[in-house]
Coordinates of all heavy atoms in Angstrom, one line a residue:
A14 N 13.8 9.4 -9.6 CA 13.6 8.0 -10.1 C 15.0 7.4 -10.3 O 15.9 8.0 -10.7 CB 12.8 8.0 -11.4
F15 N 15.1 6.1 -10.0 CA 16.3 5.4 -10.1 C 16.1 3.9 -10.2 O 15.0 3.5 -9.9 CB 17.3 5.7 -8.9 CG 16.8 5.3 -7.6 CD1 17.0 4.1 -7.0 CD2 16.0 6.2 -6.9 CE1 16.5 3.7 -5.8 CE2 15.5 5.8 -5.6 CZ 15.7 4.6 -5.1
A16 N 17.1 3.3 -10.8 CA 17.0 1.8 -10.9 C 17.6 1.2 -9.6 O 18.6 1.6 -9.1 CB 17.7 1.3 -12.1
F17 N 16.9 0.2 -9.1 CA 17.4 -0.6 -7.9 C 17.4 -2.1 -8.3 O 16.3 -2.7 -8.3 CB 16.6 -0.3 -6.7 CG 17.1 -1.0 -5.5 CD1 18.3 -0.6 -4.9 CD2 16.3 -2.0 -4.9 CE1 18.7 -1.1 -3.7 CE2 16.8 -2.6 -3.8 CZ 18.0 -2.2 -3.1
G18 N 18.5 -2.6 -8.9 CA 18.4 -3.9 -9.5 C 17.5 -3.9 -10.6 O 17.5 -2.9 -11.5
P19 N 16.6 -4.9 -10.6 CA 15.6 -4.9 -11.8 C 14.4 -4.0 -11.6 O 13.6 -3.9 -12.5 CB 15.1 -6.4 -11.7 CG 15.3 -6.8 -10.3 CD 16.5 -6.0 -9.7
A20 N 14.3 -3.3 -10.4 CA 13.2 -2.4 -10.2 C 13.5 -1.0 -10.5 O 14.6 -0.5 -10.4 CB 12.9 -2.5 -8.7
E21 N 12.5 -0.3 -11.1 CA 12.5 1.1 -11.3 C 11.8 1.8 -10.2 O 10.6 1.5 -9.9 CB 11.8 1.5 -12.7 CG 12.5 0.9 -13.9 CD 13.9 1.7 -14.1 OE1 14.0 2.8 -13.8 OE2 14.7 1.1 -14.7
V22 N 12.5 2.5 -9.4 CA 12.0 3.1 -8.1 C 11.6 4.6 -8.4 O 12.4 5.3 -9.0 CB 12.9 3.0 -7.0 CG1 12.4 3.7 -5.7 CG2 13.3 1.6 -6.7
T23 N 10.4 5.0 -8.0 CA 10.0 6.5 -8.1 C 9.8 6.9 -6.7 O 9.0 6.3 -5.9 CB 8.8 6.6 -8.9 OG1 9.0 6.0 -10.2 CG2 8.4 8.1 -9.1
V24 N 10.4 8.0 -6.2 CA 10.2 8.6 -5.0 C 9.5 9.9 -5.2 O 9.9 10.8 -6.0 CB 11.5 8.8 -4.3 CG1 11.3 9.5 -2.9 CG2 12.3 7.5 -4.0
I25 N 8.4 10.1 -4.5 CA 7.6 11.3 -4.6 C 7.5 11.9 -3.2 O 7.0 11.4 -2.3 CB 6.2 11.1 -5.2 CG1 6.3 10.3 -6.5 CG2 5.4 12.3 -5.2 CD1 5.0 9.8 -7.0
A26 N 8.1 13.2 -3.0 CA 8.2 13.7 -1.7 C 6.9 14.5 -1.5 O 6.3 15.1 -2.4 CB 9.4 14.7 -1.7
G27 N 6.4 14.5 -0.3 CA 5.2 15.2 0.1 C 4.2 14.4 0.8 O 4.4 13.2 1.0
D28 N 3.1 15.0 1.1 CA 2.0 14.3 1.8 C 1.3 13.4 0.8 O 0.7 13.9 -0.2 CB 1.1 15.3 2.4 CG 0.0 14.6 3.3 OD1 -0.5 13.5 3.0 OD2 -0.4 15.3 4.3
A29 N 1.3 12.1 1.0 CA 0.7 11.2 0.1 C -0.8 11.5 -0.2 O -1.3 11.1 -1.2 CB 0.9 9.7 0.6
R30 N -1.5 12.1 0.7 CA -2.9 12.3 0.5 C -3.1 13.4 -0.6 O -4.2 13.5 -1.2 CB -3.5 13.0 1.8 CG -3.6 11.9 2.9 CD -4.0 12.5 4.2 NE -3.0 13.4 4.8 CZ -3.0 14.0 5.9 NH1 -4.2 14.0 6.6 NH2 -2.1 14.8 6.3
E31 N -2.0 14.2 -0.9 CA -2.0 15.1 -2.0 C -1.3 14.6 -3.1 O -1.7 14.8 -4.4 CB -1.4 16.4 -1.5 CG -2.2 17.1 -0.4 CD -1.5 18.2 0.3 OE1 -0.4 18.6 -0.2 OE2 -2.0 18.8 1.3
T32 N -0.1 14.0 -2.9 CA 0.8 13.6 -4.0 C 0.2 12.4 -4.8 O 0.3 12.4 -6.1 CB 2.2 13.3 -3.6 OG1 2.2 12.3 -2.6 CG2 2.8 14.6 -3.0
L33 N -0.3 11.5 -4.1 CA -0.8 10.2 -4.8 C -1.9 10.5 -5.7 O -1.9 10.2 -6.9 CB -1.1 9.1 -3.8 CG -1.5 7.8 -4.5 CD1 -0.6 7.3 -5.5 CD2 -1.8 6.7 -3.4
P34 N -3.0 11.2 -5.3 CA -4.1 11.5 -6.3 C -3.6 12.3 -7.5 O -4.2 12.0 -8.6 CB -5.1 12.3 -5.5 CG -4.9 11.9 -4.0 CD -3.4 11.7 -3.9
A35 N -2.6 13.0 -7.4 CA -2.1 13.8 -8.5 C -1.1 13.1 -9.3 O -0.7 13.6 -10.4 CB -1.5 15.2 -7.9
W36 N -0.6 12.0 -8.9 CA 0.5 11.2 -9.6 C -0.1 10.7 -10.9 O -1.1 9.9 -10.8 CB 1.1 10.2 -8.7 CG 2.2 9.4 -9.4 CD1 3.3 10.0 -10.0 CD2 2.4 8.1 -9.3 NE1 4.1 9.0 -10.4 CE2 3.6 7.8 -10.0 CE3 1.6 7.0 -8.9 CZ2 4.1 6.5 -10.2 CZ3 2.2 5.7 -9.0 CH2 3.3 5.4 -9.7
P37 N 0.5 10.9 -12.0 CA -0.1 10.3 -13.3 C 0.3 8.9 -13.5 O -0.1 8.2 -14.5 CB 0.5 11.2 -14.4 CG 1.8 11.7 -13.8 CD 1.6 11.8 -12.4
G38 N 1.3 8.3 -12.6 CA 1.8 7.0 -13.0 C 1.0 5.8 -12.4 O -0.1 6.0 -11.8
A39 N 1.5 4.6 -12.6 CA 0.8 3.4 -12.1 C 2.0 2.5 -11.6 O 2.9 2.2 -12.4 CB 0.0 2.7 -13.1
A40 N 2.0 2.0 -10.4 CA 3.0 1.2 -9.9 C 2.7 -0.3 -10.1 O 1.6 -0.7 -10.1 CB 3.2 1.5 -8.3
D41 N 3.8 -1.0 -10.3 CA 3.7 -2.5 -10.3 C 3.6 -3.1 -8.9 O 3.0 -4.1 -8.7 CB 4.8 -3.1 -11.0 CG 4.9 -2.7 -12.5 OD1 3.8 -2.8 -13.1 OD2 6.0 -2.3 -12.9
A42 N 4.2 -2.4 -8.0 CA 4.3 -3.0 -6.6 C 4.3 -1.8 -5.6 O 5.0 -0.9 -5.8 CB 5.5 -3.9 -6.4
W43 N 3.5 -2.0 -4.5 CA 3.5 -1.1 -3.5 C 3.9 -1.8 -2.2 O 3.5 -2.9 -1.9 CB 2.0 -0.6 -3.1 CG 1.4 0.2 -4.2 CD1 0.6 -0.2 -5.2 CD2 1.6 1.6 -4.3 NE1 0.2 0.9 -6.0 CE2 0.8 2.0 -5.5 CE3 2.3 2.6 -3.7 CZ2 0.8 3.4 -6.0 CZ3 2.3 3.9 -4.1 CH2 1.5 4.3 -5.2
F44 N 4.8 -1.1 -1.4 CA 5.1 -1.6 -0.1 C 4.6 -0.5 0.9 O 5.2 0.5 1.0 CB 6.6 -1.8 0.0 CG 7.2 -2.8 -1.0 CD1 7.7 -2.4 -2.2 CD2 7.1 -4.2 -0.7 CE1 8.1 -3.4 -3.2 CE2 7.5 -5.1 -1.6 CZ 8.0 -4.7 -2.9
L45 N 3.5 -0.8 1.5 CA 2.8 0.1 2.3 C 3.4 0.0 3.7 O 3.3 -1.0 4.5 CB 1.3 -0.3 2.3 CG 0.6 -0.3 1.0 CD1 -0.8 -0.7 1.0 CD2 0.8 1.1 0.2
D46 N 4.1 1.1 4.1 CA 5.0 1.0 5.3 C 4.8 2.3 6.1 O 5.8 2.8 6.6 CB 6.5 0.8 4.8 CG 7.3 0.5 6.0 OD1 6.9 0.0 7.0 OD2 8.5 0.9 6.0
G47 N 3.6 2.8 6.2 CA 3.4 4.0 7.1 C 3.6 3.5 8.5 O 3.7 2.3 8.9
F48 N 3.6 4.5 9.4 CA 3.5 4.1 10.9 C 2.2 3.4 11.2 O 1.4 3.3 10.3 CB 3.6 5.4 11.7 CG 5.0 6.0 11.6 CD1 5.0 7.5 11.3 CD2 6.2 5.4 11.7 CE1 6.3 8.1 11.2 CE2 7.4 6.1 11.7 CZ 7.4 7.4 11.3
S49 N 2.1 2.8 12.3 CA 1.0 1.9 12.5 C -0.3 2.6 12.2 O -0.5 3.8 12.5 CB 1.0 1.4 14.0 OG 0.6 2.4 14.8
P50 N -1.4 1.9 11.7 CA -2.6 2.5 11.4 C -3.2 3.2 12.7 O -3.9 4.3 12.5 CB -3.5 1.4 11.0 CG -2.5 0.4 10.4 CD -1.3 0.5 11.3
A51 N -2.9 2.8 13.9 CA -3.5 3.4 15.1 C -2.8 4.8 15.3 O -3.5 5.7 15.8 CB -3.2 2.6 16.3
K52 N -1.5 4.9 14.9 CA -0.8 6.2 15.1 C -0.8 7.1 13.9 O -0.5 8.3 14.0 CB 0.6 5.9 15.5 CG 0.7 5.1 16.9 CD 2.2 4.9 17.2 CE 2.4 4.2 18.6 NZ 3.5 3.5 18.8
N53 N -1.0 6.5 12.7 CA -0.9 7.3 11.5 C -2.0 7.0 10.6 O -1.9 6.6 9.4 CB 0.5 6.8 10.8 CG 1.0 7.6 9.6 OD1 1.9 7.1 9.0 ND2 0.5 8.7 9.4
P54 N -3.3 7.2 11.1 CA -4.5 6.7 10.4 C -4.7 7.4 9.1 O -5.2 6.8 8.1 CB -5.6 7.0 11.3 CG -5.1 8.1 12.2 CD -3.6 7.8 12.4
E55 N -4.2 8.6 8.9 CA -4.3 9.3 7.6 C -3.7 8.5 6.4 O -4.1 8.7 5.3 CB -3.9 10.7 7.6 CG -2.4 11.0 7.7 CD -1.9 11.0 9.2 OE1 -2.6 10.5 10.0 OE2 -0.8 11.5 9.3
L56 N -2.7 7.8 6.7 CA -1.9 7.0 5.7 C -2.6 5.7 5.3 O -2.1 5.0 4.3 CB -0.5 6.8 6.0 CG 0.6 6.8 5.0 CD1 0.4 7.9 4.0 CD2 1.9 6.8 5.6
W57 N -3.7 5.4 6.0 CA -4.3 4.1 5.7 C -5.9 4.2 5.5 O -6.6 3.3 5.6 CB -4.1 3.2 7.0 CG -2.7 3.0 7.4 CD1 -2.0 3.6 8.3 CD2 -1.8 2.0 6.8 NE1 -0.7 3.2 8.3 CE2 -0.6 2.2 7.5 CE3 -1.9 1.0 5.8 CZ2 0.6 1.4 7.2 CZ3 -0.8 0.3 5.5 CH2 0.4 0.4 6.2
S58 N -6.3 5.4 5.1 CA -7.7 5.7 5.0 C -8.3 4.9 3.8 O -7.5 4.6 2.8 CB -8.0 7.2 4.8 OG -7.5 7.6 3.6
D59 N -9.5 4.7 3.8 CA -10.2 4.1 2.6 C -9.9 4.9 1.4 O -9.7 4.3 0.3 CB -11.7 4.1 2.9 CG -12.2 3.1 4.0 OD1 -11.3 2.6 4.7 OD2 -13.4 3.0 4.2
R60 N -10.0 6.2 1.6 CA -9.7 7.1 0.3 C -8.3 6.8 -0.2 O -8.2 6.8 -1.5 CB -10.0 8.5 0.8 CG -9.8 9.5 -0.4 CD -9.9 10.9 0.0 NE -11.3 11.2 0.2 CZ -11.8 12.5 0.4 NH1 -10.9 13.5 0.4 NH2 -13.0 12.7 0.6
L61 N -7.4 6.8 0.7 CA -6.0 6.6 0.2 C -5.7 5.2 -0.4 O -5.1 5.1 -1.4 CB -5.0 7.0 1.2 CG -3.6 7.3 0.8 CD1 -3.5 8.4 -0.3 CD2 -2.6 7.6 1.9
M62 N -6.4 4.2 0.2 CA -6.2 2.9 -0.3 C -6.9 2.8 -1.7 O -6.4 2.1 -2.6 CB -6.8 1.8 0.7 CG -6.1 1.8 2.0 SD -4.4 1.4 2.0 CE -3.6 3.1 2.1
A63 N -8.0 3.5 -1.9 CA -8.6 3.5 -3.2 C -7.6 4.2 -4.2 O -7.6 3.8 -5.4 CB -9.9 4.3 -3.1
E64 N -6.9 5.2 -3.8 CA -5.9 5.9 -4.6 C -4.7 5.0 -4.9 O -4.2 4.9 -6.1 CB -5.4 7.2 -4.1 CG -6.4 8.3 -4.0 CD -6.8 8.8 -5.4 OE1 -6.1 8.6 -6.4 OE2 -7.9 9.4 -5.5
V65 N -4.3 4.1 -4.0 CA -3.3 3.1 -4.2 C -3.8 2.2 -5.3 O -3.0 1.9 -6.4 CB -3.0 2.3 -3.0 CG1 -2.1 1.1 -3.3 CG2 -2.2 3.2 -1.9
A66 N -5.0 1.7 -5.3 CA -5.5 0.8 -6.3 C -5.6 1.5 -7.6 O -5.3 0.9 -8.7 CB -6.9 0.2 -5.9
R67 N -6.1 2.7 -7.6 CA -6.3 3.4 -8.9 C -4.9 3.7 -9.6 O -4.9 3.9 -10.8 CB -6.9 4.8 -8.6 CG -7.5 5.6 -9.8 CD -8.4 6.7 -9.4 NE -7.7 7.8 -8.8 CZ -7.1 8.8 -9.6 NH1 -7.2 8.7 -10.9 NH2 -6.5 9.8 -9.0
H68 N -3.8 3.7 -8.8 CA -2.5 3.9 -9.3 C -1.7 2.6 -9.4 O -0.5 2.7 -9.1 CB -1.8 5.0 -8.6 CG -2.4 6.4 -8.8 ND1 -3.5 6.9 -8.0 CD2 -2.0 7.3 -9.7 CE1 -3.8 8.1 -8.4 NE2 -2.9 8.4 -9.5
T69 N -2.4 1.5 -9.6 CA -1.7 0.3 -9.7 C -1.9 -0.3 -11.1 O -2.9 -0.3 -11.6 CB -2.3 -0.8 -8.6 OG1 -2.1 -0.2 -7.4 CG2 -1.5 -2.1 -8.7
A70 N -0.7 -0.8 -11.7 CA -0.8 -1.3 -13.0 C -1.6 -2.7 -13.0 O -1.6 -3.3 -12.0 CB 0.6 -1.6 -13.6
P71 N -2.1 -3.1 -14.1 CA -2.8 -4.4 -14.2 C -1.9 -5.5 -13.6 O -0.7 -5.6 -14.0 CB -3.1 -4.6 -15.6 CG -3.1 -3.2 -16.2 CD -2.2 -2.4 -15.4
G72 N -2.4 -6.2 -12.7 CA -1.7 -7.3 -12.1 C -0.7 -6.9 -11.1 O 0.0 -7.7 -10.5
G73 N -0.8 -5.6 -10.7 CA 0.1 -5.1 -9.7 C -0.2 -5.6 -8.3 O -1.3 -6.1 -8.1
S74 N 0.7 -5.3 -7.4 CA 0.6 -5.9 -6.0 C 0.8 -4.9 -4.9 O 1.4 -3.9 -5.2 CB 1.5 -7.1 -5.9 OG 2.9 -6.6 -5.9
F75 N 0.4 -5.3 -3.7 CA 0.8 -4.6 -2.6 C 1.2 -5.6 -1.5 O 0.9 -6.7 -1.5 CB -0.3 -3.6 -2.0 CG -1.2 -4.4 -1.1 CD1 -1.0 -4.6 0.2 CD2 -2.4 -5.0 -1.7 CE1 -1.9 -5.3 1.1 CE2 -3.2 -5.8 -0.8 CZ -2.9 -5.9 0.5
A76 N 2.1 -5.1 -0.6 CA 2.5 -5.8 0.6 C 2.6 -4.9 1.7 O 3.0 -3.7 1.5 CB 3.7 -6.6 0.3
S77 N 2.3 -5.3 2.9 CA 2.4 -4.5 4.1 C 2.7 -5.3 5.3 O 2.1 -6.4 5.4 CB 1.1 -3.6 4.2 OG 1.2 -2.8 5.4
Y78 N 3.4 -4.7 6.2 CA 3.6 -5.4 7.5 C 2.3 -5.5 8.3 O 2.1 -6.3 9.2 CB 4.6 -4.7 8.4 CG 4.1 -3.3 8.9 CD1 3.5 -3.3 10.2 CD2 4.2 -2.2 8.2 CE1 2.9 -2.1 10.6 CE2 3.7 -1.0 8.6 CZ 3.1 -1.0 9.9 OH 2.5 0.2 10.3
T79 N 1.3 -4.6 8.1 CA 0.1 -4.5 8.9 C -0.9 -5.5 8.3 O -1.0 -5.7 7.2 CB -0.5 -3.1 9.0 OG1 -1.5 -3.2 9.9 CG2 -1.1 -2.6 7.7
A80 N -1.6 -6.1 9.3 CA -2.7 -6.9 9.0 C -4.0 -6.4 9.5 O -4.9 -7.1 9.7 CB -2.5 -8.4 9.4
A81 N -4.0 -5.1 9.9 CA -5.2 -4.5 10.5 C -6.4 -4.8 9.5 O -6.3 -4.5 8.4 CB -5.0 -3.0 10.6
G82 N -7.5 -5.2 10.2 CA -8.7 -5.6 9.4 C -9.2 -4.5 8.6 O -9.6 -4.6 7.4
H83 N -9.3 -3.3 9.1 CA -9.9 -2.2 8.3 C -9.0 -1.8 7.2 O -9.5 -1.3 6.1 CB -10.2 -0.9 9.2 CG -9.0 -0.1 9.6 ND1 -8.4 0.9 8.9 CD2 -8.2 -0.2 10.8 CE1 -7.4 1.4 9.6 NE2 -7.3 0.7 10.7
V84 N -7.7 -2.0 7.2 CA -6.8 -1.7 6.1 C -7.0 -2.8 5.0 O -7.2 -2.5 3.8 CB -5.3 -1.7 6.6 CG1 -4.4 -1.6 5.3 CG2 -5.1 -0.5 7.5
R85 N -7.1 -4.0 5.5 CA -7.3 -5.2 4.6 C -8.7 -5.0 3.8 O -8.8 -5.1 2.6 CB -7.3 -6.5 5.2 CG -5.8 -6.9 5.5 CD -5.7 -8.4 6.0 NE -6.2 -8.5 7.3 CZ -7.2 -9.3 7.8 NH1 -7.8 -10.1 6.9 NH2 -7.5 -9.3 9.0
R86 N -9.7 -4.5 4.6 CA -11.0 -4.3 4.0 C -11.0 -3.2 3.0 O -11.6 -3.2 1.9 CB -12.1 -4.1 5.1 CG -12.4 -5.3 5.8 CD -13.6 -5.2 6.7 NE -13.4 -4.2 7.8 CZ -12.8 -4.6 9.0 NH1 -12.4 -5.9 9.2 NH2 -12.6 -3.7 9.9
A87 N -10.3 -2.1 3.4 CA -10.2 -0.9 2.5 C -9.5 -1.3 1.1 O -9.9 -1.0 0.1 CB -9.5 0.1 3.2
L88 N -8.4 -2.2 1.2 CA -7.7 -2.6 0.0 C -8.6 -3.5 -0.8 O -8.6 -3.5 -2.1 CB -6.5 -3.2 0.3 CG -5.4 -2.1 0.9 CD1 -4.2 -2.8 1.7 CD2 -4.8 -1.4 -0.3
A89 N -9.4 -4.4 -0.1 CA -10.2 -5.3 -0.8 C -11.3 -4.5 -1.6 O -11.6 -4.8 -2.7 CB -10.8 -6.3 0.1
S90 N -11.9 -3.6 -0.9 CA -13.0 -2.8 -1.6 C -12.5 -1.9 -2.6 O -13.2 -1.6 -3.5 CB -13.9 -2.1 -0.6 OG -13.3 -1.1 0.1
A91 N -11.2 -1.6 -2.6 CA -10.6 -0.8 -3.6 C -10.2 -1.7 -4.9 O -9.9 -1.1 -5.9 CB -9.3 -0.1 -3.1
G92 N -10.3 -3.0 -4.7 CA -10.1 -3.8 -5.9 C -9.0 -4.9 -5.9 O -8.7 -5.6 -6.8
F93 N -8.3 -5.0 -4.6 CA -7.3 -6.0 -4.5 C -7.9 -7.3 -4.0 O -8.8 -7.3 -3.2 CB -6.3 -5.5 -3.5 CG -5.3 -4.5 -4.0 CD1 -5.5 -3.1 -3.8 CD2 -4.1 -4.8 -4.8 CE1 -4.7 -2.2 -4.2 CE2 -3.3 -3.9 -5.3 CZ -3.5 -2.6 -4.9
E94 N -7.3 -8.4 -4.5 CA -7.6 -9.7 -3.8 C -6.6 -9.8 -2.7 O -5.3 -9.8 -2.9 CB -7.2 -10.8 -4.9 CG -7.6 -12.2 -4.5 CD -9.1 -12.4 -4.7 OE1 -9.6 -12.1 -5.8 OE2 -9.8 -12.8 -3.7
V95 N -7.1 -9.7 -1.5 CA -6.2 -9.5 -0.3 C -6.1 -10.8 0.5 O -7.1 -11.5 0.6 CB -6.8 -8.4 0.6 CG1 -6.0 -8.2 1.9 CG2 -6.9 -7.1 -0.1
E96 N -4.9 -11.1 0.9 CA -4.7 -12.2 1.8 C -3.9 -11.8 3.0 O -3.1 -11.0 2.9 CB -4.2 -13.5 1.1 CG -2.7 -13.3 0.8 CD -2.1 -14.6 0.2 OE1 -2.5 -15.7 0.8 OE2 -1.3 -14.5 -0.6
R97 N -4.2 -12.5 4.1 CA -3.4 -12.3 5.4 C -2.4 -13.5 5.3 O -2.8 -14.6 5.2 CB -4.2 -12.4 6.6 CG -3.6 -11.9 7.9 CD -4.5 -11.9 9.0 NE -4.9 -13.3 9.4 CZ -5.5 -13.6 10.6 NH1 -5.7 -12.6 11.5 NH2 -5.7 -14.8 10.9
A98 N -1.2 -13.1 5.5 CA -0.1 -14.2 5.4 C 0.7 -14.1 6.7 O 0.6 -13.2 7.5 CB 0.9 -13.8 4.2
S99 N 1.6 -15.1 6.8 CA 2.5 -15.2 8.0 C 3.4 -13.9 7.9 O 3.9 -13.6 6.8 CB 3.3 -16.4 8.0 OG 2.5 -17.6 8.1
G100 N 3.7 -13.3 9.1 CA 4.5 -12.2 9.1 C 6.0 -12.5 9.3 O 6.4 -13.7 9.2
H101 N 6.8 -11.5 9.4 CA 8.2 -11.7 9.6 C 8.6 -11.1 10.9 O 8.0 -10.1 11.5 CB 9.0 -10.9 8.5 CG 8.6 -11.5 7.1 ND1 9.3 -12.6 6.6 CD2 7.7 -11.1 6.2 CE1 8.7 -12.9 5.4 NE2 7.8 -12.0 5.1
G102 N 9.7 -11.5 11.5 CA 10.3 -11.1 12.8 C 9.2 -11.1 13.9 O 8.7 -12.3 14.1
T103 N 9.0 -10.1 14.5 CA 8.0 -10.0 15.6 C 6.5 -10.0 15.2 O 5.6 -10.0 16.0 CB 8.2 -8.9 16.6 OG1 8.1 -7.7 15.8 CG2 9.6 -9.0 17.2
K104 N 6.3 -9.9 13.8 CA 4.9 -9.7 13.4 C 4.3 -11.0 13.0 O 4.9 -11.8 12.2 CB 5.0 -8.8 12.1 CG 5.4 -7.4 12.3 CD 4.5 -6.6 13.1 CE 3.1 -6.4 12.6 NZ 2.2 -5.7 13.4
R105 N 3.2 -11.3 13.6 CA 2.6 -12.6 13.4 C 2.0 -12.7 12.0 O 2.1 -13.7 11.3 CB 1.5 -12.9 14.5 CG 0.9 -14.2 14.3 CD -0.3 -14.5 15.2 NE 0.1 -14.4 16.6 CZ -0.7 -14.8 17.6 NH1 -1.9 -15.2 17.5 NH2 -0.3 -14.7 18.9
H106 N 1.4 -11.6 11.6 CA 0.8 -11.6 10.3 C 1.2 -10.3 9.5 O 1.6 -9.3 10.0 CB -0.7 -11.6 10.4 CG -1.3 -12.8 11.0 ND1 -1.9 -12.9 12.2 CD2 -1.3 -14.1 10.6 CE1 -2.3 -14.1 12.5 NE2 -1.9 -14.8 11.5
M107 N 1.1 -10.4 8.2 CA 1.2 -9.3 7.2 C 0.0 -9.4 6.2 O -0.8 -10.4 6.3 CB 2.6 -9.5 6.5 CG 2.7 -10.6 5.7 SD 4.1 -10.6 4.5 CE 3.6 -9.6 3.2
S108 N 0.0 -8.5 5.4 CA -1.0 -8.5 4.3 C -0.4 -8.4 2.9 O 0.7 -7.8 2.8 CB -2.0 -7.3 4.4 OG -2.5 -7.2 5.7
R109 N -1.0 -8.9 1.9 CA -0.5 -8.9 0.6 C -1.7 -9.1 -0.4 O -2.7 -9.6 0.0 CB 0.7 -9.8 0.3 CG 0.3 -11.3 0.4 CD 1.5 -12.2 0.3 NE 1.1 -13.6 0.4 CZ 2.0 -14.5 0.8 NH1 3.2 -14.2 1.1 NH2 1.5 -15.8 0.9
G110 N -1.5 -8.6 -1.6 CA -2.5 -8.8 -2.5 C -2.2 -8.4 -4.0 O -1.2 -7.8 -4.2
I111 N -3.1 -8.8 -4.8 CA -2.9 -8.5 -6.3 C -4.1 -7.8 -6.8 O -5.3 -8.2 -6.3 CB -2.8 -9.8 -7.0 CG1 -1.6 -10.6 -6.4 CG2 -2.6 -9.6 -8.5 CD1 -0.5 -11.0 -7.3
L112 N -4.0 -6.8 -7.6 CA -5.1 -6.2 -8.2 C -6.0 -7.0 -9.0 O -5.5 -7.8 -9.9 CB -4.7 -4.9 -9.0 CG -5.7 -3.9 -9.3 CD1 -6.3 -3.2 -8.0 CD2 -5.2 -2.9 -10.3
K113 N -7.3 -7.1 -8.7 CA -8.1 -8.0 -9.4 C -8.3 -7.5 -10.9 O -8.2 -6.3 -11.1 CB -9.5 -8.2 -8.7 CG -9.4 -9.0 -7.4 CD -10.8 -9.4 -6.9 CE -11.3 -8.2 -6.1 NZ -12.5 -8.5 -5.2
G114 N -8.8 -8.4 -11.7 CA -9.1 -8.0 -13.1 C -7.9 -7.9 -14.0 O -7.9 -7.4 -15.1
A115 N -6.8 -8.6 -13.5 CA -5.6 -8.6 -14.4 C -5.8 -9.5 -15.6 O -6.6 -10.5 -15.5 CB -4.4 -9.1 -13.6
P116 N -5.1 -9.2 -16.7 CA -5.3 -10.0 -17.9 C -4.8 -11.4 -17.8 O -3.9 -11.7 -16.9 CB -4.5 -9.3 -19.0 CG -3.7 -8.3 -18.3 CD -4.2 -8.1 -16.9
Ligands
SAM26 C1 7.6 3.4 9.3 S1 8.2 4.8 8.4 C2 8.8 3.9 7.0 C3 9.7 4.6 6.1 C4 10.4 3.8 5.1 N1 9.6 2.8 4.4 C5 11.7 3.2 5.7 O1 11.7 2.0 5.8 O2 12.6 3.9 5.9 C6 6.7 5.6 7.9 C7 7.0 6.8 7.0 O3 5.6 7.3 6.6 C8 5.8 8.6 6.4 N2 4.4 9.3 6.5 C9 3.6 9.4 7.5 N3 2.5 10.1 7.1 C10 2.6 10.4 5.8 C11 1.9 11.1 4.8 N4 0.6 11.6 5.1 N5 2.3 11.2 3.6 C12 3.6 10.7 3.2 N6 4.4 10.1 4.1 C13 3.9 9.9 5.4 C14 6.7 9.0 7.6 O4 7.3 10.3 7.4 C15 7.7 7.9 7.7 O5 8.8 8.3 6.9

């Protein structure tokens, strides 16, 4: 763990399918940056997106370069208010969202 400007960063080595369910923490912000969902589907599964939501602090957020429909639907059903936004560089769209039910 280290500070990066105002952010406290935690790096957890290992396969996220095992490390995330076992992690006792809750993140304020997720930057979901796996390889493309077509090439790296295990990192974008409904089950893992549910773990992302379960490990998000109230009012926490995610952002991702991918706007793949099944990823947005998985994050929405996991509890995020999801929106598709304009992308950056060569990406036409990206996704972002805030965990619903924040105080
Ligand atoms: C596009 S790279 C992004 C890396 C990093 N965000 C960066 O900008 O340097 C995708 C990363 O996802 C990692 N990855 C793929 N499957 C994974 C898994 N099941 N668990 C944890 N990491 C995984 C790959 O090893 C790779 O480092």
Side-chain angles (χ1 to χ4, degrees):
F15 59 93
F17 184 70
E21 292 292 328
V22 178
T23 303
V24 178
I25 302 167
D28 189 326
R30 292 170 294 180
E31 296 167 7
T32 57
L33 181 53
W36 183 48
D41 295 311
W43 292 99
F44 299 94
L45 303 176
D46 189 31
F48 295 127
S49 74
K52 293 181 180 157
N53 192 193
E55 71 271 21
L56 210 49
W57 304 97
S58 69
D59 292 7
R60 179 181 288 191
L61 199 55
M62 296 304 98
E64 290 293 341
V65 168
R67 193 168 76 80
H68 291 86
T69 301
S74 66
F75 83 87
S77 177
Y78 73 88
T79 187
H83 72 87
V84 172
R85 285 188 285 123
R86 286 190 292 277
L88 287 159
S90 66
F93 284 96
E94 191 78 52
V95 177
E96 74 171 323
R97 191 175 71 162
S99 294
H101 298 275
T103 58
K104 296 295 295 183
R105 186 186 295 189
H106 295 115
M107 61 168 284
S108 307
R109 63 188 178 204
I111 305 239
L112 194 66
K113 287 190 276 193

